[in-house]
Amino acid sequence: MHSFHYRDGSLHCEEVDLSTLAERHGTPLYVYSAATLRDHYRRLKGAFSELDLHIAYAVKANSNLSVLRLLAAEGADFDIVSGGELFRVVKAGGDPGGCTFAGVGKTRSEIVYALQSGIYCFNVESEAELRFINELAREVGTPAHCAVRVNPNVDAGTHKYISTGKSENKFGVDFQNIQGLYDTAAAELPHVVMRGLQMHIGSQLTSAKPFIEAVEKVAPLAAELKAKHGIEFLSIGGGVGIVYRDSLASGDEAWWSKQSEGGEAPLTLEEYASALTPLLKPLGLRILLEPGRFIAGNAGVLVSRVLYKKHGSAKTFAIVDAGMGDLIRPALYQGHHDIVPVREAEAGAGAETVDVVGPICESGDFFAQDRDLPKLEQGDLIALMSAGAYGFVMASNYNSRPMPAEILVDGEEAKVARERQSYEDLVAGE
Ligand code: LLP
């Protein structure tokens, strides 16, 4: 569900007209819906009501302080992958004691910072890292709580760049080496306390099957580690996919019930939770989820303006003022984002097959190719849907383009969650 709907012929985020925001703040412009963020957090929590469930929001998906503050107020914990993300969580008023720290390449300064901040757990990805954390915990004089990330060698069936649970991926420790590593920790590493076990098989999963396969494999291991080493939690990672197509219609509850009656059904929370709960409940462990995209993805759009139309011999281009530097998912993962006009197309108005492209000097700088869209004119506003996760956070200044502003809408209120960068910002520090 999300809160982007047409009202009086114009696309709104909750009660706020996107065209008004574009006038006031310029484009390109990220706009997030607070109601949607809260709704997704609460739905996920509610779906697993039978478990001792903790949601560690994956900060990487959208790390704006206003978003983190909102989720902290909901009671979320946080999954971080860098010292910078820990800094953001603390700045936003989140509890470092609820942070899990993932990633294959944690540095000395990041580990020390996390130890000094008293994070909940390091999710460790190699024996070398575990030994290094032990060493730093000795130096800092505080025990390091750790979990090992197990690589269950399961195919997540998602894009190869966001698939993480196969043996050939760089992530985690091979399943067959896990027990040995916990034994080593107990025997040789006095400054680490093994607190849990973690897995994450990939992102944007659109079927429950790989999750089930992985949890069926990992749950018995977690039970053994609980018995032998007293671990208290199992994290099953993030990865729940969202709807990228039909994204306007999917804002309505009715769309989902229609989907579940047949047709191309996306992964629903009910499906995910009802398949996993019976596997997880008997463990008697605290269960952690690390959702990023599920919480933030459909909660944001990128608003952009058509600068020019160009009719070439092979194609028609709509050249817009957002580019791959603002939203890189299409260029990097062939990611699909629905594109809708902010002013609702009138019934019977013409359609056109266009490439929607950005201003950056790269042929990969496109948002859509050969897409049938309502006819766009110079000056029209469009919304790139489902851009709330892995949108702004992956933005860059390539071509010396200032990063867009971010707006958080809550009901009738719209506040600047991050100012648009200036030219001075571009050269600060050089
Ligand atoms: N936990 C770990 C250890 C992760 O590596 C990730 C995502 C998550 C949780 C959150 O996954 P989610 O629930 O958001 O699927 N930039 C890519 C996605 C990269 C995901 C990286 N890891 C994209 O735009 O599709």
Side-chain angles (χ1 to χ4, degrees), residues 187-199:
E188 298 175 29
L189 306 176
H191 305 286
V192 302
V193 179
M194 300 312 288
R195 184 168 238 182
L197 178 68
Q198 197 266 356
M199 63 167 236

Side-chain angles (χ1 to χ4, degrees), residues 58 60 79 149 162 198 200 203-204 238-239 290-293 329 333 390 394:
K60 64 171 83 69
D79 185 60
R149 174 170 178 174
I162 51 176
Q198 197 266 356
H200 172 78
S203 196
Q204 184 54 16
E290 302 163 6
R293 193 188 315 262
R329 301 196 67 264
Y333 318 107
Y390 308 110
M394 295 182 81

Side-chain angles (χ1 to χ4, degrees), residues 119-177:
I119 66 161
Y120 177 65
C121 193
F122 291 93
N123 291 339
V124 173
E125 305 232 14
S126 63
E127 179 172 346
E129 182 195 335
L130 190 62
R131 289 183 180 278
F132 190 50
I133 290 175
N134 179 65
E135 195 52 34
L136 296 182
R138 185 185 57 74
E139 276 179 31
V140 174
T142 176
H145 293 103
C146 294
V148 175
R149 174 170 178 174
V150 51
N151 185 329
N153 194 21
V154 164
D155 188 355
T158 183
H159 190 278
K160 66 176 182 200
Y161 286 4
I162 51 176
S163 189
T164 55
K166 290 279 286 173
S167 300
E168 58 262 36
N169 297 126
K170 69 177 177 182
F171 298 100
V173 171
D174 287 337
F175 188 86
Q176 62 275 16
N177 296 333

